[in-house]
Amino acid sequence: MKDTDADWAMLGEGEPFFGVLSDPRFLRANITPAALEEFWQTGRNEMHGYRQLIQTHFGDFSDASALDFGCGVGRLTRAMGEMCRQATGLDISPGMLVEARRHAPANVNYVSELGDETFDWLNSIIVFQHIPPQRGYRLLDDLLARVNPGGALSLHVTLFKDESFLTHLWPTLRRGQWDGDRFVSFDHDQGDVGGMEMYDYDMSRIIEMTSRHGFHNLIIQHTNHGGCHGVIMFGRKGR
Ligand SMILES: C[S@@+](CC[C@H](N)C(=O)[O-])C[C@H]1O[C@@H](n2cnc3c(N)ncnc32)[C@H](O)[C@@H]1O
């Protein structure tokens, strides 16, 4: 299994903001106070949208404690801190955490590992796509167990890639899925490709897991980031 933690340690050290949102304006050499404010604003916009969606479908949870798994520099965690009593950001990249702590409000803390804490809201956006699924499924199982009864979920996973992402690797390929072990072409069998660090998950396994952990009612939003298709799943654990 590829050591993706080493990739993120390097990215967090060198280009923490660009590592989160790959826009040249967020490179260390280019970032201005205005661009930084824009960066934080993307987080507020996203989290307000997610909270709105969860509240509309599953009811209020505004005084919750929240966990942002794969928090990066805290783009989303800070926004969660504005909505919740307390927010925790968890990341394996030391450089990301240094930057996150530099901008941390009083009710937001950043950690590299958890004890036995549980939470009222689990959020993870554009993170599992970078973790080999064999490891990702285990991590997700643990995280879902940490959601308190009645707690909320906003979880992004990637599922497949289309030709706009793949054709530079394999000119005849139109759509496929990379789970870290095997590349499966949806059009015809092309064998293994390998070398890509944008992983795809199996939705059946994810739903089996969310269901086993008590999320019986989910809302699913389709995402497409440059040809990497996935979903954000919103739900609330049964009481
Ligand atoms: C693209 S960034 C997204 C950051 C944040 N979720 C956001 O949307 O602003 C992906 C983050 O996931 C973190 N990450 C990758 N693998 C991880 C793991 N196994 N455990 C925790 N964090 C991880 C990386 O260090 C990086 O900060």
Side-chain angles (χ1 to χ4, degrees), residues 4-5 7-9 11-12 16 18-22 39 42-43 46 68-77 90-94 96-97 111-112 123-132 135-136 139 143:
T4 51
D5 292 3
D7 299 339
W8 283 100
L11 265 167
F18 182 78
V20 170
L21 294 182
S22 307
F39 179 90
T42 63
E46 270 183 53
D68 185 21
F69 176 75
C71 61
V73 295
R75 186 178 68 96
L76 306 175
T77 330
L90 167 66
D91 206 283
I92 39 80
S93 172
M96 291 285 186
L97 290 175
V111 299
S112 57
N123 178 70
S124 185
I125 304 292
I126 56 174
V127 176
F128 279 93
Q129 62 186 12
H130 301 299
I131 303 176
R135 181 174 173 211
L139 286 169
L143 290 168

Side-chain angles (χ1 to χ4, degrees), residues 57-200:
H57 291 278
F58 305 106
D60 191 45
F61 62 102
S62 59
D63 201 28
S65 64
L67 174 65
D68 185 21
F69 176 75
C71 61
V73 295
R75 186 178 68 96
L76 306 175
T77 330
R78 276 167 53 117
M80 293 176 92
E82 291 169 12
M83 303 168 184
C84 304
R85 195 173 53 240
Q86 207 278 326
T88 298
L90 167 66
D91 206 283
I92 39 80
S93 172
M96 291 285 186
L97 290 175
V98 165
E99 208 53 62
R101 288 177 181 132
R102 208 194 304 278
H103 303 278
N107 66 335
V108 174
N109 70 314
Y110 292 102
V111 299
S112 57
E113 55 186 30
L114 293 172
D116 55 5
E117 302 96 314
T118 61
F119 300 90
D120 294 321
W121 184 5
L122 167 64
N123 178 70
S124 185
I125 304 292
I126 56 174
V127 176
F128 279 93
Q129 62 186 12
H130 301 299
I131 303 176
Q134 288 160 274
R135 181 174 173 211
Y137 293 126
R138 285 199 301 275
L139 286 169
L140 183 58
D141 205 20
D142 173 67
L143 290 168
L144 292 171
R146 290 173 182 274
V147 180
N148 294 326
L153 175 71
S154 41
L155 168 71
H156 175 243
V157 289
T158 31
L159 303 175
F160 73 93
K161 295 164 177 51
D162 71 24
E163 72 247 60
S164 64
F165 187 85
L166 289 168
T167 42
H168 64 285
L169 294 170
W170 206 292
T172 60
L173 204 57
R174 294 179 60 74
R175 290 172 308 131
Q177 189 181 53
W178 169 239
D179 72 2
D181 270 342
R182 250 173 3 125
F183 186 85
V184 179
S185 163
F186 291 170
D187 301 316
H188 48 90
D189 187 9
Q190 293 275 11
D192 290 337
V193 173
M196 287 164 52
E197 287 133 49
M198 290 289 292
Y199 301 104
D200 300 314

